[in-house]
Amino acid sequence: MKKTIILLTFIGILISCSTDENNNSETTELIGQWKLIEQLADPGDGSGTFQSIDSQKVIKFFENEVITSENGSLCQPYSDEQISSGTYSLSEKRIITNCQNANIAAIGFEIKDNYLLLHFASNEGFSQKFEKIK
């Protein structure tokens, strides 16, 4: 019985260490500056593709779970509100913008193929693609 308890405790420690390492890796990957390079607006049937855009919008992720936006609001594309900072949760993969519009009050995100993708709530599907610059 003691061996089983010791074995289960040891496995639990290994799993928790592995999870911490993954979170640290994800945090390191996310922290920095990201420039908007493409947008996806899907017509609602899943056929949309990312299209290149000319934008100077840069978002910055900080270690203290703060995000800022330069040359563009976090409330775009659904609002003219000029909110330039918010918070994020790496575990929930979500940005909290404090924008009035419910579609952009919380924005989902992921890192895929070294690009940061922001996924806005939308019936048709709307996403932005960012490239890490620093």
Side-chain angles (χ1 to χ4, degrees):
M1 184 66 171
K2 282 185 179 182
K3 288 182 182 181
T4 304
I5 292 172
I6 292 171
L7 179 62
L8 291 175
T9 302
F10 182 70
I11 290 171
I13 291 170
L14 285 177
I15 290 172
S16 68
C17 290
S18 175
T19 301
D20 290 344
E21 289 173 12
N22 288 341
N23 284 342
N24 288 340
S25 173
E26 286 181 23
T27 300
T28 301
E29 189 177 19
L30 181 63
I31 301 303
Q33 297 181 31
W34 298 83
K35 183 175 190 276
L36 177 60
I37 59 169
E38 296 180 357
Q39 289 189 153
L40 171 116
D42 192 273
D45 62 4
S47 66
T49 60
F50 277 97
Q51 302 295 315
S52 294
I53 62 167
D54 185 23
S55 174
Q56 297 302 310
K57 182 176 182 178
V58 173
I59 57 176
K60 297 179 184 178
F61 286 85
F62 297 91
E63 289 183 25
N64 62 351
E65 297 185 347
V66 169
I67 181 174
T68 62
S69 176
E70 295 178 2
N71 302 319
S73 174
L74 290 174
C75 299
Q76 293 173 337
Y78 298 130
S79 172
D80 292 333
E81 284 182 84
Q82 294 301 308
I83 304 291
S84 61
S85 66
T87 59
Y88 69 91
S89 169
L90 186 60
S91 62
E92 295 177 15
K93 304 274 194 253
R94 188 172 63 157
I95 297 168
I96 306 301
T97 65
N98 296 319
C99 302
Q100 296 294 321
N101 187 322
N103 286 336
I104 46 180
I107 304 166
F109 71 87
E110 67 177 314
I111 295 179
K112 186 174 181 181
D113 300 326
N114 295 318
Y115 293 103
L116 171 69
L117 303 176
L118 300 188
H119 302 294
F120 296 83
S122 167
N123 291 337
E124 294 82 26
F126 186 87
S127 298
Q128 292 181 327
K129 184 186 283 188
F130 292 77
E131 180 176 57
K132 193 163 193 178
I133 56 174
K134 288 185 183 179

